[in-house]
Amino acid sequence: MNIFKRKLSFEQQVSDIIFENSPDAYFVVEGHKFVHCNKAAETILAMPREKIIGLGPADFSPKEQPDGRDPVAAVAENTELALKNGWTRFEWLHQRADGTPLPVVVTLFFATIEGRNCVVSFWQDMREVAKLRQAEKAARETEQQQIADRQAAFTRIAKALHRLATGDLSCAIGDRMPPEFDPLRRDFNTTVKELASIVERLSTNSQTVWAASEEIRNGSDQMSLSIQKHAAYVEETAAALEEVATTAAMAESRAAQAGELVRDLSANAGQSSRIAESAIAAMRDIESSSTGINNILGVIDSIAFQTNLLALNAGVEAARAGDAGKGFAVVAQEVRELAQKSASAAKEVKGLVLRSSGHVQKGVDLVQETKGTLEKIVLSFREINSHVDAIATSTREQSIAVTSIKDAVSNIDRATQDNVAKVEEAAAVAHDLAAQADILNSLAAHFTLDNARPHIRLAANS
């Protein structure tokens, strides 16, 4: 029995030591009033125990807790929890008599002390914790503000990047940002400014390229049409020269044939001249023979005259002879008549010969004139032949020249066709260049510069 008492005495001593020496404030509450407390309670409330006893927790509670609850309702709620669970713990904001806030953690449990129903409450001073919490709250608020600032900065940067992604180069970020983001803002603005300058130069250059390509394209198209016309003209010229070459070749052939014909005519004319000379010689012989005949006829005429005289003399003598001379007279008469006929015939022949001589002389003159004409014709043929030879030579040279010209024109035609192909290629390149310039301009037009520098668009795309 004494051992048990000693044990209880020991526990009581321990309880007293804990109660008095604990850094936490201990209160015994009965009927909502403090009936006992320890030294820590005096320290935490900055009041002596005598003044604390008789007061209650409500005397040290503000009209409203930090969470907005009414203290009476909150106490009732916490008391209900303590009755239900046997104890409860919660944070509470008290205040000292001087109005200084006193945040604590209150632990409540019900106890029966010497038959009296009491509430034991001990408070843990949370002022340092509150300061730490305040500092933590301030740090959290600062961090949250920083996070909000970062979030706002990210949002502004994201919006600017989105505008930049859509081609809007008037997306420079104007207002300053938090220090860690302001260099990024300046770099972003510098990048946008440089990109705007590049796009503006690109737009200007694309406009220049487009205008130049348009000029090249128009010039190439006009040149292509002109060269095609020239090619058609050259082709027509080549065809005409082909006909001219064919005509020249035919003319050369005909000139050669004409030369041959003229040479044949010249030879025939020469032969005719020689035949005329032979005819003249024969006529000269006829004339000479006519002269001989005339001489012979003269002799015959002389003989006929003498025979006539002789016959006349014989008739005279026969008449003198009488009858004896009658027969002789008849013969003489016959001889005389024959002589007269011979003389008459000789005269006629002589007349014929003289007329023949005249005709022969006329023939000689005509043949002589024909010979002269033939000689002139031969000379003319020779001259014609020389002209024909010259024409043939000229025609041959012209044919060679026309052939050379035709070859040259054919080369020009081929060169013109090559030029047409090259010009068409150049025109195609110019069209491609214009299309690329349009693409560049479209890319440049995708970007929106600031209000001071509106879009630069090409006339073809505006």
Side-chain angles (χ1 to χ4, degrees):
M1 188 67 178
N2 292 332
I3 295 174
F4 178 74
K5 287 183 179 180
R6 284 198 300 272
K7 181 178 180 183
L8 293 177
S9 178
F10 177 78
E11 291 176 352
Q12 185 64 43
Q13 289 179 12
V14 169
S15 297
D16 291 342
I17 292 171
I18 292 173
F19 186 82
E20 290 297 332
N21 297 324
S22 173
D24 297 329
Y26 278 83
F27 300 91
V28 177
V29 180
E30 183 181 12
H32 303 291
K33 301 293 182 180
F34 296 130
V35 294
H36 190 49
C37 66
N38 63 355
K39 292 179 181 180
E42 294 176 321
T43 302
I44 197 171
L45 290 176
M47 293 178 66
R49 183 178 301 178
E50 291 78 12
K51 290 186 176 181
I52 295 173
I53 301 303
L55 299 176
D59 296 323
F60 297 94
S61 296
K63 294 181 178 180
E64 189 177 70
Q65 287 297 304
D67 58 2
R69 292 185 300 168
D70 179 67
V72 176
V75 168
E77 182 181 348
N78 292 327
T79 302
E80 185 179 355
L81 286 174
L83 289 172
K84 180 180 179 180
N85 298 322
W87 66 277
T88 185
R89 183 177 287 127
F90 56 90
E91 290 185 7
W92 196 264
L93 178 63
H94 289 293
Q95 63 182 15
R96 289 176 174 179
D98 59 1
T100 305
L102 178 61
V104 294
V105 173
V106 179
T107 302
L108 291 179
F109 61 89
F110 290 96
T112 301
I113 301 174
E114 294 180 354
R116 295 160 59 181
N117 294 323
C118 300
V119 175
V120 178
S121 171
F122 61 90
W123 300 353
Q124 291 176 309
D125 191 352
M126 295 293 292
R127 283 177 293 180
E128 294 299 326
V129 175
K131 290 179 180 178
L132 290 175
R133 284 181 176 177
Q134 242 176 356
E136 183 181 356
K137 180 181 179 183
R140 278 200 308 271
E141 289 176 352
T142 301
E143 183 180 3
Q144 288 175 355
Q145 184 61 43
Q146 291 176 348
I147 291 173
D149 292 342
R150 291 192 189 99
Q151 186 64 37
F154 283 133
T155 301
R156 291 173 65 189
I157 292 173
K159 288 180 179 179
L161 288 173
H162 177 71
R163 291 173 63 187
L164 179 61
T166 58
D168 185 0
L169 297 181
S170 61
C171 59
I173 303 173
D175 297 334
R176 296 179 64 85
M177 287 186 172
E180 65 268 26
F181 289 97
D182 207 53
L184 177 61
R185 179 188 68 85
R186 291 194 300 269
D187 292 341
F188 177 81
N189 290 344
T190 302
T191 301
V192 169
K193 182 178 178 181
E194 291 296 327
L195 182 59
S197 176
I198 291 171
V199 169
E200 189 171 11
R201 291 198 299 271
L202 175 64
S203 181
T204 303
N205 292 337
S206 66
Q207 184 180 20
T208 303
V209 170
W210 184 86
S213 64
E214 278 296 304
E215 292 181 1
I216 294 172
R217 180 170 62 181
N218 294 332
S220 298
D221 291 341
Q222 292 177 0
M223 186 179 294
S224 178
L225 292 175
S226 178
I227 291 179
Q228 287 176 357
K229 290 181 181 178
H230 290 169
Y233 294 153
V234 169
E235 189 174 357
E236 292 176 359
T237 303
L241 284 173
E242 182 69 28
E243 294 179 0
V244 170
T246 303
T247 304
M250 293 175 63
E252 180 184 3
S253 175
R254 290 177 179 176
Q257 293 177 2
E260 292 293 331
L261 182 59
V262 168
R263 282 190 289 273
D264 291 341
L265 290 174
S266 180
N268 292 333
Q271 184 67 27
S272 298
S273 179
R274 289 191 294 274
I275 292 172
E277 289 179 355
S278 299
I280 290 172
M283 289 182 179
R284 294 291 183 191
D285 292 338
I286 292 171
E287 184 179 8
S288 178
S289 298
S290 297
T291 303
I293 292 171
N294 282 333
N295 292 331
I296 293 171
L297 288 174
V299 173
I300 293 171
D301 186 50
S302 177
I303 292 172
F305 179 73
Q306 290 176 4
T307 301
N308 187 30
L309 287 178
L310 289 174
L312 182 59
N313 290 329
V316 171
E317 291 298 327
R320 288 177 181 174
D323 293 334
K326 287 183 179 180
F328 185 73
V330 173
V331 173
Q333 185 62 34
E334 293 294 331
V335 170
R336 184 181 177 189
E337 290 179 356
L338 288 172
Q340 289 177 348
K341 288 181 180 180
S342 296
S344 178
K347 287 180 181 179
E348 290 179 0
V349 170
K350 185 176 181 180
L352 291 173
V353 170
L354 289 175
R355 286 195 296 274
S356 296
S357 296
H359 293 317
V360 168
Q361 186 61 42
K362 288 182 180 178
V364 169
D365 294 338
L366 290 173
V367 171
Q368 189 68 36
E369 185 178 355
T370 301
K371 179 185 176 185
T373 302
L374 288 173
E375 289 176 352
K376 290 180 181 179
I377 290 172
V378 169
L379 292 175
S380 298
F381 276 139
R382 288 177 182 173
E383 187 174 357
I384 291 171
N385 188 38
S386 64
H387 289 316
V388 169
D389 288 339
I391 291 171
T393 302
S394 176
T395 304
R396 185 166 53 255
E397 292 175 353
Q398 288 178 358
S399 178
I400 294 171
V402 167
T403 302
S404 300
I405 293 172
K406 183 185 73 172
D407 294 338
V409 169
S410 297
N411 293 330
I412 292 173
D413 184 35
R414 286 193 294 272
T416 303
Q417 295 297 332
D418 293 339
N419 290 335
V420 169
K422 291 178 180 178
V423 168
E424 288 177 351
E425 291 177 0
V429 170
H431 282 273
D432 291 339
L433 183 60
Q436 295 298 322
D438 286 337
I439 293 173
L440 285 177
N441 189 69
S442 298
L443 292 175
H446 173 71
F447 294 95
T448 303
L449 304 180
D450 56 26
N451 294 330
R453 293 176 296 175
H455 292 308
I456 298 176
R457 295 182 180 271
L458 298 180
N461 294 330
S462 60

